[in-house]
Structure formats: structure tokens, C-alpha cells
Amino acid sequence: MKKLTYKLTRSQFVRNVAVMATGAAGAQAVTMALSPIITRLYGPEAFGMMGTFTALTNIIIPIAALTYPIAIVLPKKDRDAKGIIKLSLYIAFLIAILTTIVILFFNSTIISLFNIEEIAPYLYLIPLVIIFAGLMQVSEQWLIRTNQFAINAKVNFLQSVIINGSKVGIGFIYPVATVLVILQTAANGLRAIMMIFFAKRSKGGVTKSQDKGVSIKKLAKKHIDFPIYRAPQVFVGAFSDSLPVLLLTTFFGPASAGFYNIGRTVLSLPSKLIGQSIGDVFYPRISEAANNGENVSRLIKKASLALTGMGIIPFGIVIIFGPWLFEFVFGQEWVVAGEYARWIALTSFAVFINKPAVRSMPVLSAQGIHLIYTIVILVTRVLALLTGFFVFNSDVVAIALFGISSTLLNACLFLITLNLGKKLYKKVG
């Protein structure tokens, strides 16, 4: 036991995860401490409007730079990584300009299509969200590449303090949905600015040296699998994740969307606390392991089993005591959110366990498979939600079917990834 403890404390991987998890823990502690105040200040309808806006922007944010930022970790030379940073920022600004044009000319069509009259004025914030997302993504991936996990952790905590503190402070004076939406828009921009500031102070920022001779066009072509496979995959995945909010708003109104949004927010805490930390550290580690001919499948399995042990208690508690917990913590009007949370917990637990498997997809050259899987899960989720809405006329049944189907398909993805890892090991061996 002492030998195992010594190995763990000496492990760079474990130390990096601990650093990331500490920042995430502080950020989520702030979120949890202030959430009961925020939910009582704003109410379900305001949260529903913010949730609908977030659902729309969450579809766009992952493809703000066509997922090229994820490739920043992969090149051996820093100058190539810096070239990908430039490429990513050019794309983000171009997409922001195109989005502005689309919103200007097709505003009414978008509002009618998604039935989002309540958030119509906020659509013009979306181009700003895209620019902030692009800056945040390249900053975050550069810090991961350069092993500056402590900066990531610090920024995670400070962002939570500033954004949640602002929600409370402004909420006492002006508790309306506009406040929540504007702060949601500013969150990624604030995060990017702090990352760049702290990276420069630590002398780990992106410098201009050794940039000569880097062809952005060649880098774009070399990593073309990201916009071809990864970008559609994350777009479809984000659309799939946002479906419940959009459909709940359409069929049951903003309050129901607010119940789902707070449930999803709470259930994402373990993922942000541990799962995201392990995923961010695991990505460069699995890339190194594949290059060195290590058994990738074994690494994925070990990381996933560890996450299962960490997550089974918090997610299990929500499944059993969801309605009572939400009523006690957030107030009586949020008891329905607790019913939703029971089923959201199933999906969240599966996603939490699957972090290492999903992070391994680019390394295993399986982004095409991941895209096909994401399309399958989207179709399944649509059928599950529509069955709940039209056959059972129940929002709770719709969320239950959504949770069960998502859990089963995540289990399938895990098994597929393990099989791909075994094939790679045999091929290299």
C-alpha cells in the first residue's frame, strides 16, 4: 500500500490531474455555494431563457475554429503548434463574420424555426460568443501542450468567482434573464484573457520566435481530419446535448427548460471537477503512449475504471434522492428539476466515465467512427424525446428515455474504443 501511494505521489500524470482537479474543485465549490442564492433570485423562467441561449451557443462554440485548436497538442515542434493557433483564430473570426451576416438577414427565420421569440434580442451576441470561444480554445490547448496545468486551474477558479459573484451581486438589484445571458456570453472571453495574461507572466506564452517557414496552408491540410470529421462530430454532439432544452422550450415552455438547465448544470459538476481534469491531462499522455507503442487500451480501461469508482456515489445519490435534494437546496419550485436530474444523472455518469475514451479518438485515428456514433446517438435521442412528448405527453418520460438511451450508447462507444486500442497495440507490436 505504501509502495502504491509512493508511486502515485511521484507520478507526473497524477500530480497534473490533482492540480487541474484542485482548480475545478474550487470553481465548483463557488458555483455550488452561490447556486441556491442565484436560483432564488432569478427563478425558472430566467434560467430557461439563459438555458435556451446557452443551448444555441453550445452548438456553435465547439466548432468556433472547426476544432483545429484540439490539434495544437499534437505537433512535435512548437512552431507548428503556433501555426495552428494562427489558423484557428483566422477561422474563428471568419465564422463570426459569416454568423453576423446570417443573423442580420435570416433573424426572423431562425426565431420561427426554433420557436425562440423570448431570446430574439440576444441572437446578436452569438458572433461575440464565437470569437471568445476561439480565443479560449487556443489558449487552453496551448496551456495543455506546455503542461501549464496550474494556470488552467487558477483561471477556472477565478472565472467561477467573477461570473457567479456577478450573478449574485447584480441579481440583488436587477434579477432578469438579460443579466444571466450577458454574463454567459462574457465567460469564455474572460477565461481567455486570464489564460493569456497568466501564461505571459509565467514566460510560457506564445512567442513570435521560430515562426518563419511555417505554412498555415500545409498545417491546415495535415490536420484536415479535424474539420472533416471532428468538427461535424462535435457539432452533431452539441446539437444532441442541446436538444432537450430546445424541445422542452417548444413543447412545455421556458420554465421546463429552466428545470432541465439547472439539473444539467448540477450534474455536470463531477465531470468538470474530475472528468475534465483527467481528460485534459490524459490527452497528451495517450498521444505519447501511442507514439511509444504502449498498450493504449489498458490506459483507457484504467482511467475509466478510476472514474467509475469516483462517480458512482455522487451520481447514485442524485438518482435516489434527486427531487428531495433539489427542493431542499434550490427551493420548492425546483422539485421538478430533481425529477429530471434522476435521469440526467444516468447520461452524465456515462459521459463522465467515457472521458478517456473520447479523448483517445484523435490519437486512434477514429474521428470518422466518432462522427458516425454521434449521428446515431443524435437520431436515437430525437426518437426518445419525441416518443416522450407525443406518445406519453410527459416531459419527465421524455427525459427518462433520453437518459436511458444515451447511457446504453455511451457504453457501446467505450467498448468500441477499447477494441480500437487493442488493434493499434497489436499493429505496433
Side-chain angles (χ1 to χ4, degrees):
M1 186 66 184
K2 287 183 179 179
K3 190 176 180 181
L4 177 62
T5 305
Y6 177 76
K7 280 185 177 180
L8 287 174
T9 54
R10 297 285 293 177
S11 168
Q12 186 63 44
F13 178 82
V14 172
R15 287 204 298 270
N16 288 338
V17 171
V19 168
M20 292 288 286
T22 300
Q28 300 316 317
V30 172
T31 300
M32 287 302 294
L34 297 180
S35 287
I37 303 171
I38 295 169
T39 52
R40 285 170 170 83
L41 285 172
Y42 293 93
E45 278 212 20
F47 264 88
M49 291 173 71
M50 183 194 73
T52 305
F53 177 79
T54 304
L56 283 176
T57 55
N58 280 352
I59 295 170
I60 301 167
I61 284 173
I63 57 166
L66 297 182
T67 69
Y68 269 116
I70 302 172
I72 291 169
V73 176
L74 299 179
K76 290 182 179 180
K77 296 180 181 178
D78 278 353
R79 70 174 190 175
D80 290 341
K82 292 168 189 174
I84 296 172
I85 289 174
K86 286 184 179 179
L87 172 65
S88 301
L89 292 176
Y90 291 156
I91 291 170
F93 278 100
L94 178 61
I95 291 175
I97 292 168
L98 292 175
T99 304
T100 304
I101 294 169
V102 170
I103 292 171
L104 285 171
F105 287 97
F106 301 100
N107 190 299
S108 57
T109 305
I110 296 168
I111 292 167
S112 301
L113 182 64
F114 292 103
N115 192 24
I116 50 171
E117 287 82 1
E118 297 88 352
I119 66 162
Y122 308 133
L123 292 180
Y124 294 99
L125 292 172
I126 291 177
L128 199 58
V129 170
I130 292 170
I131 292 171
F132 287 162
L135 285 169
M136 185 273 293
Q137 288 166 10
V138 298
S139 304
E140 187 174 52
Q141 293 300 320
W142 178 259
L143 292 178
I144 290 171
R145 175 184 174 82
T146 53
N147 293 319
Q148 297 184 79
F149 298 106
I151 293 177
N152 243 328
K154 185 194 294 186
V155 169
N156 203 0
F157 174 74
L158 290 174
Q159 183 202 39
S160 181
V161 170
I162 295 169
I163 296 297
N164 286 296
S166 299
K167 287 177 183 177
V168 172
I170 300 171
F172 279 115
I173 304 166
Y174 195 59
V176 296
T178 302
V179 173
L180 296 177
V181 170
I182 290 174
L183 288 173
Q184 188 73 17
T185 301
N188 280 330
L190 175 65
R191 185 178 177 85
I193 290 167
M194 288 193 292
M195 282 178 176
I196 294 166
F197 174 75
F198 288 124
K200 283 185 176 179
R201 291 196 62 177
S202 70
K203 297 181 181 179
V206 180
T207 62
K208 292 183 180 180
S209 60
Q210 297 181 335
D211 280 352
K212 291 181 180 179
V214 177
S215 170
I216 292 178
K217 188 181 289 187
K218 285 183 180 178
L219 288 171
K221 189 175 180 181
K222 183 177 180 180
H223 299 283
I224 195 69
D225 57 319
F226 283 88
I228 289 178
Y229 296 118
R230 188 60 178 254
Q233 181 272 314
V234 295
F235 176 79
V236 174
F239 183 72
S240 177
D241 289 338
S242 297
L243 262 179
V245 172
L246 297 173
L247 291 179
L248 284 167
T249 302
T250 301
F251 292 112
F252 295 98
S256 291
F259 293 140
Y260 181 85
N261 192 49
I262 193 66
R264 183 175 60 178
T265 301
V266 171
L267 268 301
S268 70
L269 294 182
S271 181
K272 289 178 180 177
L273 176 60
I274 302 294
Q276 187 67 35
S277 303
I278 287 181
D280 287 343
V281 179
F282 188 78
Y283 183 33
R285 172 68 184 96
I286 201 75
S287 179
E288 180 189 356
N291 289 332
N292 294 336
E294 296 179 46
N295 191 334
V296 172
S297 182
R298 186 181 298 166
L299 288 173
I300 296 168
K301 192 184 295 183
K302 284 173 68 176
S304 300
L305 286 173
L307 287 172
T308 302
M310 293 175 191
I312 195 164
I313 292 176
F315 287 109
I317 288 171
V318 175
I319 291 170
I320 298 169
F321 302 109
W324 180 84
L325 278 173
F326 274 67
E327 182 180 6
F328 176 75
V329 175
F330 301 113
Q332 190 173 1
E333 62 182 338
W334 292 94
V335 67
V336 177
E339 290 286 354
Y340 287 9
R342 282 179 156 169
W343 301 104
I344 299 170
L346 284 175
T347 304
S348 299
F349 189 30
V351 170
F352 179 73
I353 295 168
N354 252 4
K355 287 284 183 183
V358 171
R359 284 301 192 133
S360 302
M361 286 293 183
V363 178
L364 296 171
S365 300
Q367 301 203 87
I369 293 173
H370 199 188
L371 172 59
I372 293 168
Y373 163 81
T374 309
I375 293 170
V376 171
I377 201 171
L378 170 63
V379 173
T380 306
R381 284 175 167 181
V382 169
L383 292 174
L385 288 168
L386 293 180
T387 300
F389 292 139
F390 291 114
V391 177
F392 296 96
N393 193 30
S394 168
D395 51 337
V396 176
V397 172
I399 298 302
L401 293 173
F402 177 88
I404 293 167
S405 61
S406 299
T407 302
L408 293 173
L409 286 170
N410 268 280
C412 291
L413 179 65
F414 174 71
L415 294 174
I416 290 168
T417 309
L418 285 184
N419 188 48
L420 291 171
K422 288 176 183 176
K423 286 182 178 179
L424 178 66
Y425 182 60
K426 286 178 182 178
K427 184 179 179 181
V428 174

